[in-house]
Amino acid sequence: GVFFFSLLNLRPKLGVDPAFAQRPTTTAEASGTFAVLSIVSGAASLLLTLIAIPILLALGYAPPIVWVTLALAAVGVSDSVMGIAWVQLDKALLFARVSLVSAVAFPISYLPAFYLALHGGGYWSLVAQTTTYALLLLVGLWWSVRAYLPELLRVRWKFSATLARQFLRFGVVVGLATIAASIVYQFDNFLVGTFVSVAALGFYERAYRIAQWPSVLITSALSRTAFYAYSQLQNDLPRLTKTVTMSLWLITTFALPVALAIFVTADELVLLLFGERWLASVPFVRFLVAYSVLRPLLDDANSLFVAVGKPRRTTTVALIQAAAIALAATPLTFQFGAQGTAMGVGVAFAVGLVVTYYFVRQTVPDVALADVFAAPALATAIALGAYFLFANALDLSLVPLVLRVIVRAAFATLIYFAVTFAIRPKLTVERTTYVWRLFRGTQLAAGEQGTIL
């Protein structure tokens, strides 16, 4: 159901959110045009899903898949209204308000999910969580707009056909990238669920969600803020280069240790979180977490391309990745089952990374990619080697499960940070201090940012 809704959902494919967000100024005309396009795209997605229902049933898909797809499309209409408030708050740089609403809504949204799961609701418990989260965001974000952007609601928003065409011309290019990206990020689920088994898809999907923790951690914290920073600096190449360098440093510094911890504790982590019935997910976790670190690197670069007005580069990368996963993962799935699918995902991510950073060099030619990636790669290799020596030398079988997870994860991440510090001690201390001071809101001295970066 998630796969089919991702194909039928028109709103991200029209790209109206980034088209509006990329504009340097916010006018009543721009806001009104954006709002109309957003709501119409959500309603059109629901209509398209209704049209697709008899087609999916005729193709032999089970009715529950079809009804879940329809439910997600209905939730998508709410998202189209909520998204207007979200983008307006982000564009006003009120990231903290959006994060606070999301952080409060997310755990609350699981209350009906747990209730339904414990009372025979089955997969509808997952739909209930998605629905509750969407409605809580709708209320919370529009309340935030009213409280923190009251001037935005005092003006009369207007729709402009000319501006709508400009938004759509820009957005459709981004939307093509979104379509290709949805294939890249959902096609593996389609292959496993269609050509292996639904049970295998359950194990694979659970592993994929665990493996995405590094990506979710970094992307949620960095991608939105990076997009608006890149947009504001698109005509200031020296500062843009420094900002891109800092973003890449943050990704490698925080995403890689999390991925390492998941990789070395995969057996115990799955057992701790989900029990013995889910241990079949472990091989997939180790395959997929190795690729998960690449996603924030790709997402950050895609934000850069769109923010500086070069969305075609994002589209090109996404289309190449989509072709790579289709050509690699399909035969590998037939040959090796779900593990072959995971290998195909790796091929697509590797191809995408090469093409992406070819374009990054064209966009910010002075960024030192070798310096950015060499130290983290070396630190990862040393940390893994040290861990396997440690694991063979020390028996932790008698240690409680939760402590085993903590000890193994801590050892791998500490080795990583130690090696990173040993390679670049001064740079590591300066950048860490710099980020901490920004987090605390400390004013930087004139010229200090350029010196650190």
Side-chain angles (χ1 to χ4, degrees):
V2 172
F3 172 77
F4 284 118
F5 175 62
S6 70
L7 293 181
L8 297 170
N9 187 10
L10 295 177
R11 185 165 167 264
K13 298 173 181 62
L14 294 177
V16 291
D17 287 15
F20 171 71
Q22 198 262 348
R23 290 178 66 87
T25 58
T26 301
T27 63
E29 192 175 61
S31 294
T33 304
F34 165 58
V36 170
L37 291 176
S38 182
I39 294 171
V40 169
S41 63
S45 300
L46 178 59
L47 178 61
L48 187 61
T49 303
L50 289 169
I51 295 172
I53 284 178
I55 299 173
L56 293 175
L57 291 172
L59 291 173
Y61 285 96
I65 294 175
V66 175
W67 304 135
V68 167
T69 305
L70 180 60
L72 293 175
V75 174
V77 177
S78 171
D79 281 342
S80 70
V81 179
M82 175 273 295
I84 301 168
W86 187 310
V87 177
Q88 291 283 8
L89 290 165
D90 275 358
K91 198 168 184 184
L93 305 183
L94 295 171
F95 303 115
R97 300 308 311 174
V98 176
S99 298
L100 178 60
V101 171
S102 180
V104 172
F106 187 72
I108 296 175
S109 69
Y110 273 93
L111 296 178
F114 276 111
Y115 177 84
L116 287 176
L118 294 171
H119 291 80
Y123 54 83
W124 286 109
S125 61
L126 301 178
V127 178
Q129 186 274 327
T130 300
T131 304
T132 306
Y133 185 55
L135 293 176
L136 290 173
L137 285 181
L138 177 68
V139 174
L141 292 180
W142 275 107
W143 180 88
S144 297
V145 169
R146 183 177 180 183
Y148 294 95
L149 296 175
E151 68 283 355
L152 194 67
L153 301 179
R154 293 194 190 107
V155 299
R156 184 176 180 181
W157 290 4
K158 303 175 182 178
F159 176 79
S160 165
T162 301
L163 197 55
R165 286 191 293 271
Q166 293 177 11
F167 281 169
L168 291 174
R169 277 198 299 269
F170 185 96
V172 165
V173 177
V174 180
L176 289 174
T178 304
I179 294 172
S182 69
I183 295 174
V184 172
Y185 297 128
Q186 297 288 341
F187 190 68
D188 52 346
N189 288 340
F190 170 77
L191 288 176
V192 176
T194 302
F195 299 114
V196 185
S197 69
V198 175
L201 176 60
F203 292 122
Y204 183 90
E205 192 270 346
R206 178 58 54 199
Y208 191 89
R209 286 181 178 269
I210 297 172
Q212 288 302 303
W213 289 354
S215 173
V216 171
L217 172 68
I218 298 301
T219 300
S220 61
L222 186 62
S223 63
R224 286 167 35 230
T225 52
F227 173 84
Y228 290 97
Y230 297 153
S231 178
Q232 292 186 17
L233 297 174
Q234 59 184 292
N235 298 316
D236 186 347
L237 186 58
R239 294 177 68 198
L240 178 63
T241 301
K242 293 172 182 178
T243 305
V244 170
T245 301
M246 194 66 183
S247 295
L248 294 175
W249 179 80
L250 286 169
I251 291 170
T252 55
T253 298
F254 293 103
L256 268 172
V258 177
L260 268 174
I262 295 172
F263 185 89
V264 301
T265 64
D267 297 87
E268 290 94 342
L269 186 63
V270 171
L271 185 62
L272 175 67
L273 294 176
F274 307 110
E276 291 187 10
R277 290 188 301 171
W278 291 92
L279 285 177
S281 297
V282 170
F284 305 137
V285 171
R286 289 205 169 101
F287 266 110
L288 296 171
V289 78
Y291 316 140
S292 68
V293 181
L294 302 181
R295 181 164 181 179
L297 294 172
L298 295 170
D299 290 343
D300 182 69
N302 290 334
S303 294
L304 170 66
F305 300 149
V306 175
V308 301
K310 298 184 183 298
R312 285 182 175 81
R313 294 180 177 178
T314 297
T315 304
T316 301
V317 171
L319 289 173
I320 291 174
Q321 277 191 288
I325 196 170
L327 294 174
T330 304
L332 286 170
T333 299
F334 287 127
Q335 184 68 33
F336 302 108
Q339 289 189 353
T341 307
M343 289 186 276
V345 170
V347 172
F349 271 78
V351 170
L353 190 70
V354 172
V355 178
T356 294
Y357 279 88
Y358 168 77
F359 285 138
V360 168
R361 287 300 298 270
Q362 292 188 333
T363 308
V364 277
D366 293 333
V367 67
L369 294 178
D371 292 342
V372 169
F373 294 125
L378 179 60
T380 301
I382 293 175
L384 283 174
Y387 169 79
F388 286 120
L389 289 175
F390 163 80
N392 292 330
L394 186 62
D395 183 12
L396 297 177
S397 59
L398 299 179
V399 177
L401 181 59
V402 65
L403 289 180
R404 293 208 304 270
V405 172
I406 293 173
V407 169
R408 294 183 189 278
F411 180 84
T413 54
L414 287 174
I415 293 294
Y416 175 85
F417 285 122
V419 174
T420 300
F421 178 78
I423 296 173
R424 300 184 297 190
K426 183 179 179 181
L427 185 66
T428 301
V429 171
E430 287 179 343
R431 286 183 174 174
T432 303
T433 305
Y434 171 65
V435 172
W436 176 249
R437 290 177 63 185
L438 289 177
F439 180 76
R440 293 288 302 274
T442 305
Q443 184 70 34
L444 296 175
E448 186 176 357
Q449 178 181 6
T451 301
I452 292 171
L453 295 177

